[in-house]
Amino acid sequence: MIVFKTGIERTPATKLLIAILIAAALAIPIFMVWFLVYDRQSQSEQASQSITAGWGGPQAMTGPVLVIPYRTSATETVVENGQSVTRSRDIMRELTLAPEIAEVSTNVGPEVRKRSIYEAVVYDAKVSGRSRFAFPPDLSRAGVALDQMNLSRAEFRFGLSDPRGLGANPRVIVDGRPLRLQPGGGSSGGRGFFAWIDASGLIGRPLLVDFNYDFRGNAALSLAPLAGDTRWHVRSSWPHPSFAGEFLPASRAVSDGGFDATYRIGNLALGRSLVSTGDAGGSNLIDRVSPASRYATPAPVAADASPVQTAQISLIQPVDLYSQVNRAAKYGFLFIGFTFLALLMFDVIGGVRVSAVEYLLMGAALVLFFVLLLAFAEVIGFTPAYVLAAGAIAGLNTAYSAAVLGSWSRAGFIGGLLVGLYAVLYILLSLEAYSLLIGSLLLFVALAGVMYATRRIDWGARREQGQAS
């Protein structure tokens, strides 16, 4: 008895086209993984805000500054009965005097707070310092005379971006005399605290101000330097600081036991004078400080108010797992491409037929790796989650390819390829600066290997099957 089996084998080019189409279709779930990472990151940020609610937000400090109201005249032109009439009237304005020297020391005590799988970094900060105020000899250049000032209604103002975190007993001492503090960034409102003072003693001699206060915050803190010479010393047990803002520390030391940083900033670098004038009740200085964190909500700023420059320190987490997973998912096409390439070589050269469904199932497992990585990383951390997810997917695809390719030795090649790819990807995530170089070299080697292995293949050949028995 003779049995004929007839059929037309797909050409190598057709097999390649099928692999490419399936890989392109898998781009859809990879994009969905990116959206999933973004959604989980948004939930994490909302959870962090919930954890720190009522504790105190990212804090920014200003002051002290001495604000003195003064009387001046203003002219205005109005039209009455068809004629322009110029009138003069008295108005109240404010002269703001920054200290000649401000020495500030801040001790930051961090704490990690958790809720479910989410966590946030909060801190207690203890601030102490001394400032020296004096009228500059060229005060008249500001257009204000001493006899215009109401020195008895002067205010020392301290700004704090989130006063909810302010401690119970701030102290401000002027020439050895403690002042009674009031809530708000000044008598005209604002955020922080202030004290009334009779500044008559400032005439002809400097005024020394000692202060100390505590506040709570989260994620970051910053200082707006306003003095002629600002010296800010910050120390903390947090080992992962990020120094940002418009000014960097003059010296810093970072170790596993924490950090110690010293800033030295002059008003020439600030580009502002120690004396400034403005309308009474105008924008408070703290409202012009940029938020110290992306979680902070900026306060409205007057259109004519220039932003205040800051020195900023963030208490960052050593690994941003959502950023890591997002970067890893961007290499999903690399995993799919290399795995499909290996299957294609077994199909075209090894004579083992691989169906479109088998390509699709193995590709789906590769996409699932990134979902597993995200899910485990939120619970056990990025590195253990990476090892666990990579081992699970490599084992699954190795076992499945043994059935597809009909050989454990061939399946071992697939498994080794996946393990190598996961190892390379981890290196790429660790060496961000060289990721493009390593990735491009890897692709070059793969392309060269494929070109060498397929150099004798007739991509358009079609082989007819016929067997008799």
Side-chain angles (χ1 to χ4, degrees):
M1 180 179 181
I2 299 176
V3 179
F4 292 96
K5 295 183 179 179
T6 62
I8 299 177
E9 181 76 12
R10 291 176 298 182
T11 65
T14 302
K15 297 176 181 179
L16 175 62
L17 179 60
I18 292 174
I20 292 175
L21 291 176
I22 296 174
L26 290 172
I28 297 175
I30 289 180
F31 283 122
M32 293 176 66
V33 170
W34 291 347
F35 285 118
L36 178 62
V37 173
Y38 175 79
D39 177 68
R40 298 295 295 182
Q41 184 174 18
S42 298
Q43 290 186 36
S44 175
E45 292 177 358
Q46 292 175 4
S48 296
Q49 295 180 48
S50 175
I51 294 171
T52 58
W55 179 267
Q59 296 284 19
M61 305 175 286
T62 63
V65 293
L66 180 62
V67 178
I68 305 173
Y70 69 94
R71 187 176 299 276
T72 187
S73 60
T75 58
E76 59 181 1
T77 302
V78 296
V79 178
E80 292 183 357
N81 299 324
Q83 294 183 342
S84 295
V85 179
T86 301
R87 294 176 177 173
S88 179
R89 61 186 180 90
D90 288 342
I91 60 172
M92 293 300 298
R93 303 195 76 199
E94 292 179 343
L95 179 141
T96 301
L97 179 64
E100 293 178 328
I101 297 176
E103 296 180 348
V104 183
S105 178
T106 306
N107 196 341
V108 181
E111 178 186 351
V112 177
R113 293 200 162 189
K114 296 184 177 181
R115 180 179 298 169
S116 183
I117 62 174
Y118 303 107
E119 61 183 34
V121 181
V122 300
Y123 61 82
D124 281 291
K126 298 182 181 298
V127 180
S128 61
R130 165 171 283 197
S131 298
R132 186 179 73 191
F133 290 84
F135 281 130
D138 58 348
L139 179 62
S140 59
R141 292 180 180 272
V144 182
L146 283 175
D147 58 3
Q148 294 177 273
M149 299 182 191
N150 187 354
L151 295 173
S152 63
R153 299 290 293 177
E155 303 173 9
F156 275 118
R157 295 181 179 178
F158 294 78
L160 191 65
S161 58
D162 190 350
R164 294 176 304 162
L166 189 62
N169 297 304
R171 290 176 57 84
V172 177
I173 301 174
V174 178
D175 286 343
R177 180 171 59 90
L179 301 183
R180 183 179 179 182
L181 302 181
Q182 308 290 337
S187 57
S188 57
R191 294 171 290 167
F193 57 94
F194 75 102
W196 300 105
I197 185 174
D198 186 347
S200 301
L202 191 61
I203 300 176
R205 70 180 182 88
L207 204 62
L208 296 180
V209 181
D210 294 282
F211 56 89
N212 58 76
Y213 58 95
D214 303 342
F215 62 84
R216 301 177 305 184
N218 76 84
L221 75 158
S222 60
L223 172 71
L226 303 172
D229 182 6
T230 300
R231 306 167 190 176
W232 186 31
H233 183 213
V234 190
R235 65 176 65 90
S236 174
S237 59
W238 187 256
H240 307 290
S242 174
F243 301 100
E246 286 76 21
F247 301 100
L248 294 177
S251 63
R252 61 186 177 185
V254 181
S255 66
D256 292 340
F259 70 90
D260 192 294
T262 301
Y263 292 82
R264 187 75 182 268
I265 305 166
N267 72 310
L268 294 181
L270 295 172
R272 56 187 298 134
S273 172
L274 297 183
V275 178
S276 60
T277 58
D279 295 333
S283 175
N284 194 274
L285 279 173
I286 196 65
D287 294 333
R288 290 154 53 188
V289 177
S290 299
S293 167
R294 67 174 181 265
Y295 304 133
T297 301
V301 179
D304 59 346
S306 59
V308 175
Q309 297 171 304
T310 62
Q312 178 182 317
I313 301 175
S314 298
L315 308 182
I316 63 173
Q317 298 282 26
V319 177
D320 183 354
L321 65 91
Y322 296 103
S323 175
Q324 293 283 77
V325 174
N326 186 52
R327 288 185 58 220
K330 293 178 180 178
Y331 290 94
F333 298 107
L334 189 67
F335 278 74
I336 293 172
F338 273 90
T339 305
F340 279 19
L341 190 60
L343 293 175
L344 183 65
M345 291 300 97
F346 281 121
D347 194 347
V348 173
I349 299 176
V352 179
R353 181 163 185 168
V354 181
S355 71
V357 174
E358 291 160 347
Y359 276 109
L360 184 61
L361 290 176
M362 293 188 69
L366 294 174
V367 174
L368 182 61
F369 161 75
F370 302 104
V371 180
L372 290 176
L373 176 61
L374 174 61
F376 284 125
E378 289 185 327
V379 179
I380 62 176
F382 182 80
T383 300
Y386 189 94
V387 174
L388 183 59
I393 297 303
L396 176 63
N397 270 345
T398 300
Y400 183 70
S401 60
V404 172
L405 302 177
S407 168
W408 276 103
S409 61
R410 293 169 177 172
F413 177 82
I414 297 294
L417 173 66
L418 289 175
V419 170
L421 285 174
Y422 286 126
V424 169
L425 176 59
Y426 191 82
I427 295 174
L428 291 177
L429 296 177
S430 304
L431 304 175
E432 183 176 357
Y434 299 98
S435 60
L436 178 60
L437 175 62
I438 297 175
S440 59
L441 289 176
L442 189 63
L443 290 173
F444 175 80
V445 172
L447 179 61
V450 171
M451 292 174 69
Y452 178 81
T454 61
R455 68 191 185 280
R456 301 185 185 281
I457 291 179
D458 182 2
W459 291 96
R462 178 178 288 120
R463 184 180 62 194
E464 294 188 357
Q465 292 180 333
Q467 286 186 341
S469 60

